[in-house]
């Protein structure tokens, strides 16, 4: 399952994501991974969640990000939740078309692997395409 936390800058997306990370860790049903561009959440999320500083990997493209996520999961099949903060800071292509294609791929991947993905993204929910609105929480 894929969920998107959409909103403009300063709307509380990261705070909502941190709350969902804490909730997933407290459920204790599997491993939790949180990906962010910089290590800003180090003291905000529980130590049980694996925090990955994606900035040190120079991700850039959606193809790299697909491989990155798949590789992390291949190394640990106990992962039940992935959280990605400030998604558009990770990729160079900020177009809605590329984002939509990635989210659709991620939804298929999540269903196949039985993983929950939550992504915070700076995007106006009012003007977001319908293909993305269906993932909004």
């Amino acid at each position: 399952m894929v969920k998107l936390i959409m909103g403009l800058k300063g709307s509380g997306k990261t705070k909502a994501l941190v709350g969902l990370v804490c909730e997933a860790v407290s459920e204790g049903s599997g491993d939790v991974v949180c990906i962010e561009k910089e290590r800003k959440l180090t003291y905000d999320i529980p130590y049980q969640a694996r925090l990955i500083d994606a900035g040190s990997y120079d991700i850039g493209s959606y193809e790299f990000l697909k491989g990155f996520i798949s590789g992390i999961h291949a190394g640990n099949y106990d992962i039940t939740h992935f959280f990605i903060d400030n998604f558009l800071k990770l990729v160079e292509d900020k177009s809605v078309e590329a984002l939509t294609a990635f989210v659709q791929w991620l939804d298929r991947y999540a269903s196949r692997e039985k993983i929950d993905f939550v992504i915070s993204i700076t995007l106006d929910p009012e003007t977001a395409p319908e293909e993305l609105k269906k993932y909004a929480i």
Side-chain angles (χ1 to χ4, degrees):
M1 167 177 52
V2 175
K3 297 178 184 175
L4 298 178
I5 302 172
M6 293 188 281
L8 299 175
K9 184 175 177 151
S11 62
K13 298 177 302 293
T14 298
K15 185 175 181 179
L17 184 119
V18 167
L20 291 172
V21 170
C22 293
E23 186 179 307
V25 166
S26 69
E27 288 175 0
S29 61
D31 292 342
V32 176
V33 174
C34 185
I35 301 172
E36 64 171 334
K37 176 73 174 174
E38 301 149 353
R39 290 193 155 270
K40 292 184 177 181
L41 299 179
T42 301
Y43 301 107
D44 295 326
I45 64 169
Y47 70 89
Q48 296 93 338
R50 169 83 189 273
L51 182 61
I52 298 174
D53 177 11
S56 58
Y57 296 100
D58 195 28
I59 291 177
S61 72
Y62 286 100
E63 291 305 311
F64 187 109
L65 188 55
K66 288 176 185 180
F68 190 69
I69 290 169
S70 299
I72 292 169
H73 183 246
N76 181 357
Y77 287 112
D78 293 332
I79 295 173
T80 57
H81 295 81
F82 267 94
F83 295 89
I84 305 174
D85 190 34
N86 277 320
F87 183 81
L88 289 179
K89 288 187 177 181
L90 299 177
V91 294
E92 294 167 356
D93 186 351
K94 314 264 190 252
S95 71
V96 174
E97 296 80 19
L99 173 64
T100 302
F102 176 78
V103 170
Q104 290 169 341
W105 171 84
L106 194 61
D107 190 39
R108 291 188 303 273
Y109 183 80
S111 296
R112 184 175 64 243
E113 301 298 332
K114 296 177 181 44
I115 302 172
D116 290 338
F117 286 86
V118 178
I119 300 172
S120 74
I121 185 163
T122 302
L123 184 67
D124 186 355
E126 300 292 323
T127 61
E130 291 301 319
E131 296 90 6
L132 293 179
K133 283 183 181 180
K134 70 179 185 179
Y135 298 105
I137 56 171

